[in-house]
Amino acid sequence: MEAFTALLRSRVDMGPFSFHPKRRSIGLTHLVFADDLFILCGASQDSFSLINQLLTNFHSFSGLKPNMQKSSVFYVRVFETVKLTLSSILPIPEAHLLVKYLGVSLISTRLKAADCLILKEKILKRIQGWSNRPVSYRGRAQLIQLVLFSVQVYWSSIFVIPSKTIKEIESTLMAFLWSSLEMKSYAAKVQWYHVCSPKEEGGLSFRRIKEWNKATMLRHLWAICNKADTLWVKWIHNYIIKGQCFWSMDIPSDASWTMRKVLNLRSLGQSLIKYQVGNGQNTHLWLDNWHPLGPLFKRFGESVVYNLGKSLLSKVSFIIHNGAWRWPRQRNRVTQFIVVHTPVDSQPNCLHEDSVVWLPHPSGFSVFSA
């Protein structure tokens, strides 16, 4: 059994996962992956002694003994004298971040262009693998669409790729398209932006990596709004959102770089995520996108909240009574306009919870799709 012991004394950002010691504990002691185990504990003698005892008990029960030399311990903001004491209790070699898992770096800071060099190298290796085959222009176009573009798809769904890396990757694809294996960067006959245009507009319908990266990162917004059953989403709701409206809350000053990038996409994601009202208890009346007119506060401003005499964080349940819409007495034309455009044929269902749907789908309301 291969065990990894991680000692966390400051925020550690593992893709979308973030931990901070100053906030309430979420009771997280370990993370189990395909064949790896991350054990999280404090940098104390008691914690190390307990883990050592647990590993000993596991060996006596199962006959499986952890290989300490193939395991690693990661210290964060721990003094060298403390490290020496702890290593005498649990003799596991120290390692340092960055750590890669499933080909992705588990980083504690922002993603840099140097961290993404592996993407460009993978694309170049694929191209070099075709060196003994003559590839036509049409064949190169298909290889870019079906093979080379897919190299970065997994990373794009986890991180916001640095602009420098995107530019380098697209330059490599452009050189391969126009000059084949010679990879001449100056041989381009048309700008890459026009090459990526739809075929109806004279392009080849290649996807721009920057736009694709944004689309896939919106999956995180969808998971948060849909309250997906994942550790990260639960952590976000408990320690970042904390009962606030996700769309109007300020970005926490101590938020990780990854979390900041996700929150900066809210202006784009709000128009794509629609709330379907059930009992109205989990949907904000003024701030969420549930009404046919869109987010009411965003469209009409603070005056509409004042005129109806309710707070900005009011829920839709405030205007629901016995399974029907019941707005307060209207005082001006704006509030009357809102009431008139509230669909009568889609009455709330108090027997069901509110739900969210992804709007831009050919068949109508559906789940997220990039």
Side-chain angles (χ1 to χ4, degrees):
M1 182 186 72
E2 189 172 349
F4 293 84
T5 304
L7 309 181
L8 304 180
R9 279 302 187 188
S10 63
R11 182 180 68 242
V12 176
D13 189 2
M14 300 188 299
F17 292 95
S18 300
F19 304 93
H20 200 288
K22 295 182 180 179
R23 296 197 173 120
R24 295 171 298 167
S25 172
I26 56 177
L28 183 65
T29 59
H30 61 281
L31 296 172
V32 181
F33 298 93
D35 57 353
D36 298 326
L37 171 65
F38 283 79
I39 303 176
L40 288 75
C41 74
S44 66
Q45 297 184 41
D46 291 339
S47 297
F48 266 57
S49 298
L50 178 59
I51 292 177
N52 190 30
Q53 183 61 43
L54 290 174
L55 294 177
T56 302
N57 293 341
F58 176 79
H59 172 56
S60 61
F61 292 149
S62 64
L64 300 175
K65 184 177 181 180
N67 190 330
M68 298 300 186
Q69 296 305 313
K70 289 186 177 181
S71 303
S72 302
V73 58
F74 304 96
Y75 298 101
V76 180
R77 294 182 182 177
V78 178
F79 293 111
E80 292 297 329
T81 55
V82 178
K83 292 181 183 180
L84 292 174
T85 303
L86 298 180
S87 62
S88 64
I89 300 174
L90 199 61
I92 298 178
E94 180 183 1
H96 303 277
L97 298 174
L98 300 172
V99 177
K100 289 186 178 180
Y101 188 80
L102 297 179
V104 175
S105 299
L106 307 183
I107 61 174
S108 57
T109 58
R110 70 182 182 90
L111 187 68
K112 301 177 182 178
D115 302 326
C116 302
L117 288 176
I118 185 175
L119 294 178
K120 184 178 179 180
E121 293 174 357
K122 285 183 177 181
I123 291 176
L124 290 175
K125 286 182 179 179
R126 288 293 186 95
I127 295 176
Q128 292 170 0
W130 302 322
S131 59
N132 58 347
R133 305 176 186 178
V135 185
S136 64
Y137 172 79
R138 178 176 295 183
R140 295 197 297 272
Q142 290 183 339
L143 288 173
I144 290 174
Q145 278 189 314
L146 302 179
V147 180
L148 300 182
F149 181 84
S150 62
V151 172
Q152 54 78 38
V153 167
Y154 180 57
W155 279 61
S156 293
S157 64
I158 299 176
F159 299 117
V160 176
I161 306 299
S163 299
K164 181 179 179 180
T165 299
I166 293 177
K167 184 177 180 179
E168 291 176 350
I169 292 177
E170 290 187 339
S171 296
T172 301
L173 299 181
M174 181 170 61
F176 175 67
L177 175 67
W178 294 112
S179 61
S180 187
L181 300 176
E182 296 180 8
M183 300 294 291
K184 297 178 180 178
S185 58
Y186 55 85
K189 301 177 176 62
V190 181
Q191 291 184 350
W192 187 250
Y193 175 82
H194 296 296
V195 174
C196 296
S197 301
K199 292 183 179 179
E200 297 79 12
E201 300 177 8
L204 296 178
S205 295
F206 291 171
R207 290 192 178 100
R208 295 295 302 272
I209 296 179
K210 185 175 182 179
E211 279 70 24
W212 174 257
N213 192 193
K214 282 186 179 180
T216 53
M217 288 299 293
L218 286 175
R219 181 184 299 274
H220 299 316
L221 293 186
W222 167 255
I224 292 172
C225 296
N226 199 35
K227 294 185 177 180
D229 188 18
T230 66
L231 172 65
W232 179 69
V233 170
K234 293 178 180 178
W235 187 89
I236 291 298
H237 279 280
N238 288 335
Y239 300 99
I240 297 294
I241 300 177
K242 295 186 292 188
Q244 304 177 80
C245 177
F246 174 70
W247 303 108
S248 63
M249 60 174 286
D250 295 329
I251 299 178
S253 59
D254 59 346
S256 66
W257 179 82
T258 304
M259 193 66 227
R260 288 177 179 274
K261 290 295 184 179
V262 171
L263 292 176
N264 285 334
L265 292 174
R266 288 179 296 177
S267 58
L268 176 61
Q270 188 174 26
S271 61
L272 305 176
I273 296 176
K274 188 83 172 181
Y275 290 75
Q276 287 186 323
V277 178
N279 55 24
Q281 296 179 3
N282 296 318
T283 303
H284 288 88
L285 175 61
W286 309 115
L287 301 171
D288 289 337
N289 183 20
W290 69 274
H291 198 275
L293 299 175
L296 298 177
F297 182 81
K298 185 176 182 180
R299 179 161 182 172
F300 299 104
E302 189 175 354
S303 60
V304 67
V305 182
Y306 172 78
N307 290 328
L308 291 179
K310 201 62 178 173
S311 70
L312 184 62
L313 296 179
S314 299
K315 300 299 179 67
V316 178
S317 56
F318 168 68
I319 60 169
I320 297 176
H321 183 71
N322 292 332
W325 304 115
R326 176 173 291 186
W327 289 85
R329 182 174 60 89
Q330 295 79 48
R331 301 179 182 179
N332 58 22
R333 293 182 179 179
V334 173
T335 52
Q336 290 178 0
F337 181 77
I338 295 174
V339 174
V340 169
H341 286 81
T342 302
V344 180
D345 55 343
S346 59
Q347 295 292 337
N349 189 342
C350 295
L351 299 178
H352 295 84
E353 298 285 340
D354 300 339
S355 60
V356 294
V357 291
W358 184 256
L359 287 183
H361 194 275
S363 61
F365 292 157
S366 184
V367 298
F368 171 84
S369 173

